[in-house]
Amino acid sequence: MGLDYGKCLNTKKDSWKTVLLLAYQSLGVVYGDLSISPLYVYKSTFAEDIHHSETNEEIFGVLSFVFWTLTLVPLFKYVFVVLRADDNGEGGTFALYSLICRHAKVSLLPNRQVADEALSTYKLESPPETRRHSRVKVLLEKHKSLRTALLLLVLLGTCMVIGDGVLTPAISVFSAVSGLELSMSKEHHQYAVVPITCFILVCLFALQHYGTHRVGFFFAPVVLTWLLCISALGLYNIFHWNPHVYQALSPHYMYKFLKKTKKGGWMSLGGILLCITGSEAMFADLGHFTYTAIQIAFTFMVYPALILAYMGQAAYLSKHHHIVTSYQIGFYISVPESVRWPVVIIAILASVVGSQAIISGTFSIINQSQALCCFPRVKIVHTSDKIHGQIYIPDINWILMILCIAVTIGFRDTKHMGNASGLAVMTVMLVTTCLTSLVIVLCWHRPPPIALAFLLFFGSIEALYFSASLMKFLEGAWLPILLALILMTIMFVWHYATIKKYEFDLQNKVSLRWLLALGPSLGVARVPGIGLVYTDLISGIPANFSHFVTNLPAFHRILVFVCIKSVTVAYVPPAERYLVARVGPPAHRSYRCIVRYGYRDVHQDIDSFESELIDRLADFIRHNGYQTNGTNSCMEDDGSNSNDSTGECRLAIIKTVAFSGQPAYEMDESVQPESVSVGFQRGENATDVIEMEPVGVFEINTRFSVDDDSQTDPHSEIGMQVQEELEELWAAKEAGTAFLLGHSHVKAKQGSSLLKRAAIDVGYNFLSRNCRGPDVVLRVPPVSLLKVGMVYIV
């Protein structure tokens, strides 16, 4: 779905027709996984722990558990509470974390800026001056250990989502294909189901590089057909076999079930929880649709269809306990033989759609993790020019395919796959519950008892299911734990080393006076062209540039320090992406450009990025003369306010919009009143070094036509200076652009602990050598690349 769908309900032209269309489209994207859960819930529940008896207390108890679990978790928790905790329309684990980071300083990323709060997408629940400082917020901001624990909680949820991307396709397709077992002997179907499942999985992953936009229109009709199919089957079985099955919806049957089955019934909850597999997708895919559309689709279509499907199966089993064994308790046993083959085909198609949704979600969450420096750099391919956010990650795709096939061949039954999938699903839900309770306090400013009540009520339900899944550790539940342990180790090591590298750069950055002192008197030459120096610093001169000049005493006539940073918002509007400032006096021809992206933003290719960057520099040069009136209002690079020429000018947000008609040029400037110093703060130890709040910001909104170069009077002194600076910029562009990147090797300090040495010297360096380099990620032309070797002692 395109991003526009998620925003279209913000205008006054919205209608119920639009809402219903979005609700229909959400069926294929959001509810594919959840809708196919009837295929395997009963079979997983009755696998070994409990057995169906003639009294039907077991089947009625399971139906009661399924009904109330579907009602309390997806309906009450997600539809009515969690979906409201969106990040400007975006949902998911990182959206909750981003929302919390904006309301409390809990992010470990050390490049926070006051200028980021001026973004139109940087919305807070209440203005900063009226926000209440709760004890929870104070505790989180005061103790770094709590902030680290919060990040680990987010990473745990993220890793379990990725693990679900391995398990859901396997169990969904396997359960759908297992319908063949009723049409062939046991000896034959065990040799047919697994190969057919593996073949479908290979085809599914092999087609990922085409993108879902080519077949996305096919998803909603398939899921809608499947929901109508299971609803019709459910109604048929209810009226034909047991019209009184509705009585099992009473909570009393849950008590009778646990009283009779005792420990076996508690352990069987690990199969019952599979009925809510895919509920997290309602929140994760919120950005593609709207709250109202997802709410309507679930409440009036998905929820009733699932309840009818489970009631129908229970009605059939309640009258066939004398011929149904625990091996045969499944979805297809309740399907009339005359329509069994069409149902199998529809189920396979629905399982493929549900698998596609979780695979796409895995790609998306890895992209978000990479944007927030929590995952090694991987190749990301954007499969659609028109639909924002549809991506394909080749390396991850093939790893997922291999793991899915390994799970299918290794487990070969629904029971073990269900145990593994259930633990992953419940872990993600527990993480969401914990983060939502923090949102209630920090973002919604509700009293802590309300957040605690939310946490205890839903957390206790999920903890009960989680404990039942954990008891199946040796029967499949070990797999998501192993996957999460490996992924969390990779993600935390990468994030930890990235922060340490940033702190090293921050502590070893060079003063601006050193840069301004470079010149012919020291044997340093300025060569034609533009030099783009990539750095993670948002102020100051990086050490790799001083290392470069020391070994090669020359740098380009136009020097631009480029920082590409991620902001704790989902999207940064293109008009607000570039922050531009001077480094030193105008005559030095040095600039700083901070390029901001959200965690869901699409990074541009290097050709358009380079051209757009130069255009933004030109816009900045044109208007800087007017804004300063010929003076150089700058700030000292080390953090002290100053108006001398050794400082770094205020950052300007260059906003450019398309021009049509009327005047050839307009300028609208609004200067913010606050003026914040450049620099960094030191915490209690070296790990708390953070570069914060760099400079004041003013905005420049420009509207210009193609043939408009400048409105500067060429005969005035200011006009001549601006024209000269622009001519030098265009001449440097014609001379060529060089890209200066650091080539780093990280080593742990002497005396570091064994764990730190293993993480830095072994783990991080292995990952950095085997992932994509920054030059490949930025698509830097090899002929224009200059690498500077740096050793980081952290």
Side-chain angles (χ1 to χ4, degrees):
M1 296 301 102
L3 184 63
D4 293 340
Y5 289 131
K7 311 301 179 187
C8 64
L9 296 184
N10 294 330
T11 65
K12 295 182 180 180
K13 298 181 180 180
D14 303 325
S15 64
W16 280 107
K17 182 179 179 181
T18 306
V19 175
L20 293 177
L21 177 61
L22 285 175
Y24 167 73
Q25 291 170 336
S26 70
L27 291 176
V29 177
V30 178
Y31 298 109
D33 188 11
L34 183 61
S35 65
I36 58 178
S37 58
L39 287 173
Y40 44 77
V41 169
Y42 281 141
K43 191 165 187 176
S44 298
T45 304
F46 288 95
E48 286 183 7
D49 302 311
I50 55 175
H51 298 281
H52 183 204
S53 65
E54 294 185 3
T55 61
N56 289 323
E57 289 182 347
E58 294 86 359
I59 193 67
F60 289 162
V62 170
L63 175 60
S64 184
F65 265 106
V66 168
F67 171 76
W68 287 105
T69 303
L70 277 170
T71 302
L72 292 176
V73 178
L75 186 61
F76 287 171
K77 174 190 167 184
Y78 278 94
V79 170
F80 293 111
V81 181
V82 176
L83 287 182
R84 297 182 181 275
D86 65 296
D87 180 15
N88 295 330
E90 293 295 328
T93 305
F94 275 112
L96 289 173
Y97 183 61
S98 174
L99 197 62
I100 293 170
C101 288
R102 293 209 304 273
H103 287 79
K105 296 179 181 179
V106 296
S107 174
L108 297 180
L109 289 176
N111 55 359
R112 183 186 178 104
Q113 292 179 276
V114 169
D116 298 337
E117 299 183 12
L119 289 169
S120 59
T121 52
Y122 197 102
K123 295 179 181 177
L124 301 179
E125 296 295 327
S126 60
E129 62 272 8
T130 63
R131 282 179 287 170
R132 292 177 293 181
H133 297 280
S134 66
R135 292 183 179 180
V136 177
K137 179 180 177 181
V138 173
L139 282 174
L140 284 174
E141 293 181 345
K142 181 178 180 181
H143 300 286
K144 187 180 180 182
S145 58
L146 293 178
R147 301 199 300 270
T148 304
L150 179 62
L151 176 64
L152 288 174
L153 182 68
V154 172
L155 294 183
L156 175 62
T158 302
C159 293
M160 285 298 182
V161 171
I162 299 173
D164 198 26
V166 173
L167 298 167
T168 293
I171 189 174
S172 300
V173 178
F174 184 87
S175 300
V177 176
S178 64
L180 300 174
E181 68 187 14
L182 298 178
S183 303
M184 55 182 69
S185 64
K186 183 177 180 181
E187 292 75 16
H188 289 93
H189 82 72
Q190 64 180 349
Y191 297 109
V193 173
V194 172
I196 293 174
T197 301
C198 292
F199 174 75
I200 293 174
L201 289 173
V202 169
C203 294
L204 175 63
F205 284 99
L207 296 175
Q208 290 299 312
H209 68 281
Y210 290 109
T212 59
H213 65 285
R214 299 180 186 274
V215 291
F217 67 92
F218 185 59
F219 289 175
V222 167
V223 176
L224 179 61
T225 304
W226 170 250
L227 290 173
L228 294 175
C229 175
I230 61 177
S231 299
L233 290 172
L235 287 171
Y236 169 79
N237 286 322
I238 291 170
F239 288 108
H240 190 265
W241 298 112
N242 190 354
H244 300 288
V245 73
Y246 69 88
Q247 295 176 355
L249 302 182
S250 170
H252 178 64
Y253 282 90
M254 291 192 291
Y255 169 75
K256 293 175 65 176
F257 171 79
L258 292 175
K259 183 179 179 180
K260 180 178 181 179
T261 57
K262 297 181 174 62
K263 182 180 178 182
W266 169 58
M267 294 183 67
S268 70
L269 295 178
I272 296 174
L273 69 86
L274 294 176
C275 69
I276 52 177
T277 300
S279 300
E280 188 72 22
M282 286 193 289
F283 186 47
D285 293 324
L286 182 61
H288 298 305
F289 303 97
T290 63
Y291 169 76
T292 307
I294 291 179
Q295 185 182 45
I296 289 175
F298 181 79
T299 307
F300 297 104
M301 187 65 205
V302 180
Y303 178 74
L306 291 175
I307 297 300
L308 288 175
Y310 289 115
M311 289 178 65
Q313 290 184 62
Y316 179 88
L317 295 173
S318 68
K319 297 300 181 180
H320 292 81
H321 49 76
H322 59 287
I323 63 172
V324 177
T325 65
S326 61
Y327 172 76
Q328 290 177 307
I329 291 181
F331 173 77
Y332 291 107
I333 192 67
S334 64
V335 178
E337 190 173 352
S338 58
V339 296
R340 190 167 290 161
W341 276 103
V343 172
V344 169
I345 294 173
I346 297 172
I348 292 175
L349 292 175
S351 68
V352 169
V353 171
S355 301
Q356 174 61 58
I358 193 66
I359 293 169
S360 300
T362 303
F363 292 158
S364 177
I365 203 162
I366 287 176
N367 181 42
Q368 296 173 41
S369 303
Q370 183 175 281
L372 295 178
C373 302
C374 293
F375 202 86
R377 296 178 293 266
V378 292
K379 181 180 182 180
I380 296 177
V381 179
H382 301 280
T383 58
S384 176
D385 295 331
K386 298 180 180 179
I387 302 177
H388 195 309
Q390 287 201 358
I391 60 175
Y392 165 67
I393 306 178
D395 300 335
I396 302 300
N397 182 67
W398 301 124
I399 292 174
L400 288 177
M401 185 191 75
I402 293 171
L403 291 175
C404 277
I405 294 175
V407 167
T408 304
I409 297 175
F411 287 156
R412 298 191 181 194
D413 62 49
T414 307
K415 173 192 170 185
H416 289 83
M417 294 183 193
N419 293 337
S421 179
L423 184 65
V425 168
M426 202 47 58
T427 304
V428 175
M429 289 188 174
L430 276 170
V431 170
T432 300
T433 300
C434 294
L435 294 178
T436 305
S437 62
L438 284 177
V439 169
I440 292 174
V441 174
L442 299 176
C443 307
W444 296 351
H445 310 302
R446 298 293 186 266
I450 295 179
L452 184 62
F454 174 85
L455 179 63
L456 291 178
F457 181 76
F458 291 106
S460 59
I461 296 173
E462 292 160 357
L464 177 65
Y465 283 119
F466 180 80
S467 63
S469 295
L470 204 58
M471 291 299 294
K472 304 291 187 65
F473 180 82
L474 297 178
E475 301 175 18
W478 58 268
L479 182 58
I481 295 177
L482 178 62
L483 289 175
L485 184 62
I486 295 172
L487 285 170
M488 279 193 68
T489 301
I490 292 173
M491 296 171 77
F492 189 75
V493 164
W494 187 267
H495 184 81
Y496 176 78
T498 301
I499 297 297
K500 288 297 180 181
K501 284 178 59 181
Y502 192 97
E503 292 169 358
F504 181 89
D505 278 336
L506 196 59
Q507 293 169 344
N508 292 275
K509 64 181 181 180
V510 182
S511 69
L512 185 58
R513 288 184 176 84
W514 173 87
L515 174 66
L516 300 179
L518 297 177
S521 60
L522 297 178
V524 179
R526 300 290 292 267
V527 297
I530 299 176
L532 300 183
V533 182
Y534 284 90
T535 175
D536 292 329
L537 296 177
I538 55 178
S539 68
I541 311 301
N544 63 349
F545 179 73
S546 65
H547 191 55
F548 169 77
V549 175
T550 302
N551 290 275
L552 184 65
F555 58 95
H556 294 82
R557 183 67 185 119
I558 303 294
L559 188 64
V560 186
F561 296 97
V562 181
C563 173
I564 298 179
K565 60 172 286 190
S566 292
V567 188
T568 54
V569 296
Y571 301 100
V572 175
E576 303 174 32
R577 178 155 293 149
Y578 292 86
L579 287 173
V580 185
R582 291 192 188 278
V583 177
H588 200 267
R589 301 297 190 256
S590 298
Y591 311 90
R592 181 177 310 283
C593 182
I594 299 174
V595 189
R596 302 176 293 182
Y597 289 97
Y599 55 83
R600 284 186 180 268
D601 265 324
V602 177
H603 287 225
Q604 298 172 325
D605 61 86
I606 197 64
D607 294 331
S608 61
F609 170 75
E610 179 186 351
S611 301
E612 189 167 357
L613 175 62
I614 294 174
D615 289 341
R616 299 293 79 77
L617 285 176
D619 293 335
F620 174 77
I621 292 169
R622 288 189 184 100
H623 307 299
N624 184 250
Y626 283 113
Q627 198 277 331
T628 59
N629 272 335
T631 65
N632 187 31
S633 177
C634 297
M635 296 183 181
E636 192 97 12
D637 189 68
D638 60 3
S640 58
N641 293 337
S642 174
N643 288 330
D644 61 29
S645 62
T646 63
E648 184 169 322
C649 293
R650 288 182 300 169
L651 291 165
I653 303 175
I654 306 296
K655 294 185 176 182
T656 305
V657 294
F659 171 76
S660 60
Q662 295 310 317
Y665 186 85
E666 293 181 8
M667 183 177 72
D668 177 23
E669 298 176 1
S670 58
V671 182
Q672 295 186 358
E674 60 266 22
S675 177
V676 188
S677 62
V678 184
F680 60 87
Q681 300 172 348
R682 292 185 181 273
E684 297 177 358
N685 52 58
T687 60
D688 288 330
V689 178
I690 297 177
E691 186 175 13
M692 299 279 288
E693 335 295 19
V695 289
V697 178
F698 66 91
E699 297 181 0
I700 297 177
N701 298 314
T702 63
R703 179 175 297 161
F704 55 90
S705 58
V706 176
D707 59 349
D708 175 55
D709 288 331
S710 175
Q711 286 294 315
T712 306
D713 182 3
H715 301 292
S716 68
E717 182 179 353
I718 300 175
M720 293 176 65
Q721 292 175 355
V722 170
Q723 192 65 27
E724 179 184 357
E725 193 169 356
L726 285 172
E727 289 175 356
E728 286 193 35
L729 178 64
W730 303 132
K733 181 180 179 181
E734 293 296 325
T737 303
F739 300 82
L740 181 65
L741 276 75
H743 183 72
S744 60
H745 178 74
V746 187
K747 294 179 62 178
K749 295 178 181 178
Q750 288 187 353
S752 298
S753 65
L754 180 62
L755 184 62
K756 181 177 179 179
R757 292 203 304 271
I760 299 296
D761 296 343
V762 180
Y764 178 78
N765 284 315
F766 174 80
L767 292 173
S768 61
R769 285 194 303 268
N770 290 277
C771 71
R772 291 165 65 86
D775 54 323
V776 180
V777 174
L778 296 169
R779 300 184 185 180
V780 175
V783 294
S784 304
L785 175 63
L786 296 173
K787 283 190 174 182
V788 181
M790 287 286 295
V791 177
Y792 289 80
I793 308 297
V794 298

